[in-house]
Amino acid sequence: MPTVWLGQSVDTSSICSTHPELNQRPFLTSLGCAIRRPSLRRSHFDGQLKNKLGIKGPLMLDSGGFALLMNPNARWTVREVSKAIERTDADIFVNLDFPPTIEDTAEDRRKKIVKSTNNFKTLSERFPSKTIMPVVHGRTFSEIELSLRLLDGRHAKLRWIGLGGIVPLLQHRNVSREISSMGAETFISKALAIIRNCNPNAKIHAFGAGGTRTFPALYAFGADSADSIGWRQAAGFGSIFLPMKSQRTIKWNETKKAPRKLLDNDDISQLRQCGCPICRATNSVDAQLWDLRSDFYNRSIHNAWTITHQYDYWPPTRAAMRRLVANGGLGAQWAKACS
């Protein structure tokens, strides 16, 4: 079954904690929080982390590679990650990887891939009974293949493997000539196929790609899992999620143009059927809209519920989803990626 992990900072308990149908959902948090605030290394990353977050379901712990990219002077190494893994209550631990940047040369990227693989070997040997997830990066197909080849045959036994760097590609940032010529969507679809061919039994996690418009497409091409911090971010910008659609603006300064698409009649009809804790507590669509417009908390809970239940509204099989994508159901670029 496809899975979306709700992104959550460790600074506070999740606002989903009071909703049993949400606090038991999969969550992802990151050691990157401790890179930004070193005091969190001891105060939060321990055997009580789930309790501190107010969650009861599976927890994925990212190692902070992206945060390290933003804070290159931080004293953060695979040794620090190893200490945190040893102490922390989580179910899946993400390897300390090194994402590519726009400034990286091909040789820079190759070195990052090698360094990431070495970290994975260190952590997987240090914790043989824990699930350590390697992350594949690449801006060419040969780099994707190198990432897999350097696993030295370990990929055949992997339970999980991640594909990183998806969000910048879809935002048209850090795009190589190879990707530019074919389109980011086509590159991502083929990268997933390469990973799947090397890892027929592993679950593939698409980092940062759990949105209601992106994850259905990635699922069609082979991803099983993704994460999203967008449920809170969108709520903060006055937007809500609906299954299989882009964000819809529901609150904005009406003296200016809305930053995203507004709800239309079809959206409102879909919203009437929403079973989230916020929407089902009302007795009319007007009351739903009032509650969603009035409060960040309400929008956040609605968004968390929507992205973690989005597959209830999908076609019943991966093959059927791929047909929907091929027929343009998620846009022309994803349809092109099917060819």
Side-chain angles (χ1 to χ4, degrees):
M1 179 178 176
T3 304
V4 174
W5 303 68
L6 294 169
Q8 174 70 43
S9 169
V10 302
D11 299 274
T12 60
S13 64
S14 174
I15 61 175
C16 297
S17 61
T18 59
H19 294 278
E21 63 208 288
L22 288 174
N23 67 27
Q24 298 181 53
R25 290 282 168 171
F27 276 77
L28 176 146
T29 194
S30 177
L31 288 166
C33 296
I35 295 175
R36 292 186 289 269
R37 288 182 55 193
S39 63
L40 294 172
R41 299 184 192 187
R42 290 290 180 185
S43 64
H44 281 68
F45 291 103
D46 56 28
Q48 296 299 311
L49 180 56
K50 287 187 181 182
N51 288 337
K52 292 169 184 175
L53 293 177
I55 64 173
K56 298 179 180 180
L59 178 63
M60 184 184 296
L61 182 64
D62 188 71
S63 290
F66 181 76
L68 184 60
L69 186 67
M70 299 294 102
N71 298 270
N73 295 324
R75 295 181 179 179
W76 196 251
T77 66
V78 71
R79 175 180 289 185
E80 294 297 326
V81 172
S82 182
K83 291 177 182 177
I85 291 175
E86 189 171 33
R87 295 191 307 263
T88 304
D89 175 24
D91 301 278
I92 300 172
F93 300 88
V94 181
N95 179 46
L96 179 58
D97 60 318
F98 299 96
T101 70
I102 190 69
E103 293 84 10
D104 286 344
T105 64
E107 179 60 18
D108 291 332
R109 295 195 300 271
R110 189 194 70 82
K111 289 179 179 178
K112 285 185 172 182
I113 290 169
V114 171
K115 191 174 180 181
S116 296
T117 305
N118 289 339
N119 283 349
F120 171 70
K121 291 177 180 179
T122 296
L123 293 174
S124 59
E125 289 171 3
R126 173 71 177 79
F127 301 102
S129 63
K130 295 189 176 186
T131 300
I132 310 295
M133 183 198 300
V135 183
V136 170
H137 284 285
R139 289 297 177 260
T140 66
F141 293 131
S142 61
E143 291 173 359
I144 297 290
E145 290 164 350
L146 173 64
S147 292
L148 294 165
R149 190 165 62 249
L150 288 176
L151 292 172
D152 291 336
R154 296 168 186 257
H155 52 69
K157 298 180 180 179
L158 288 174
R159 294 175 57 191
W160 288 82
I161 186 165
L163 176 61
I166 294 172
V167 174
L169 295 186
L170 293 176
Q171 294 177 343
H172 306 291
R173 295 185 287 114
N174 196 11
V175 177
S176 68
R177 183 177 301 174
E178 182 171 354
I179 296 172
S180 179
S181 65
M182 71 179 71
E185 292 84 355
T186 298
F187 179 83
I188 292 167
S189 71
K190 293 185 182 301
L192 286 169
I194 292 170
I195 296 171
R196 175 56 69 210
N197 288 337
C198 288
N199 303 268
N201 299 315
K203 291 185 177 181
I204 300 177
H205 183 82
F207 279 92
T212 48
R213 189 75 173 174
T214 303
F215 188 42
L218 268 61
Y219 172 75
F221 292 113
D224 305 290
S225 171
D227 61 274
S228 175
I229 192 64
W231 63 284
R232 288 177 61 95
Q233 291 177 337
F237 285 107
S239 298
I240 61 169
F241 289 124
L242 292 170
M244 302 284 287
K245 294 181 177 180
S246 59
Q247 294 178 32
R248 297 296 195 256
T249 295
I250 196 166
K251 178 182 179 180
W252 78 103
N253 180 348
E254 296 190 17
T255 62
K256 299 180 180 179
K257 183 179 179 180
R260 292 178 178 83
K261 187 175 180 179
L262 297 173
L263 291 169
D264 59 23
N265 289 336
D266 183 65
D267 299 331
I268 291 175
S269 177
Q270 192 173 6
L271 192 62
R272 290 178 190 271
Q273 309 303 317
C274 181
C276 83
I278 303 304
C279 291
R280 70 169 182 252
T282 62
N283 55 16
S284 72
V285 72
D286 287 339
Q288 283 177 270
L289 292 171
W290 171 264
D291 286 348
L292 292 170
R293 287 189 180 116
S294 65
D295 197 279
F296 163 80
Y297 173 88
N298 292 343
R299 292 191 296 275
S300 294
I301 294 299
H302 167 88
N303 288 345
W305 191 93
T306 299
I307 66 170
T308 57
H309 288 77
Q310 59 178 296
Y311 17 86
D312 295 342
Y313 302 86
W314 290 1
T317 65
R318 199 188 298 266
M321 177 65 85
R322 188 172 178 111
R323 287 194 294 272
L324 182 149
V325 174
N327 290 331
L330 293 175
Q333 291 305 311
W334 285 118
K336 178 183 174 183
C338 289
S339 59

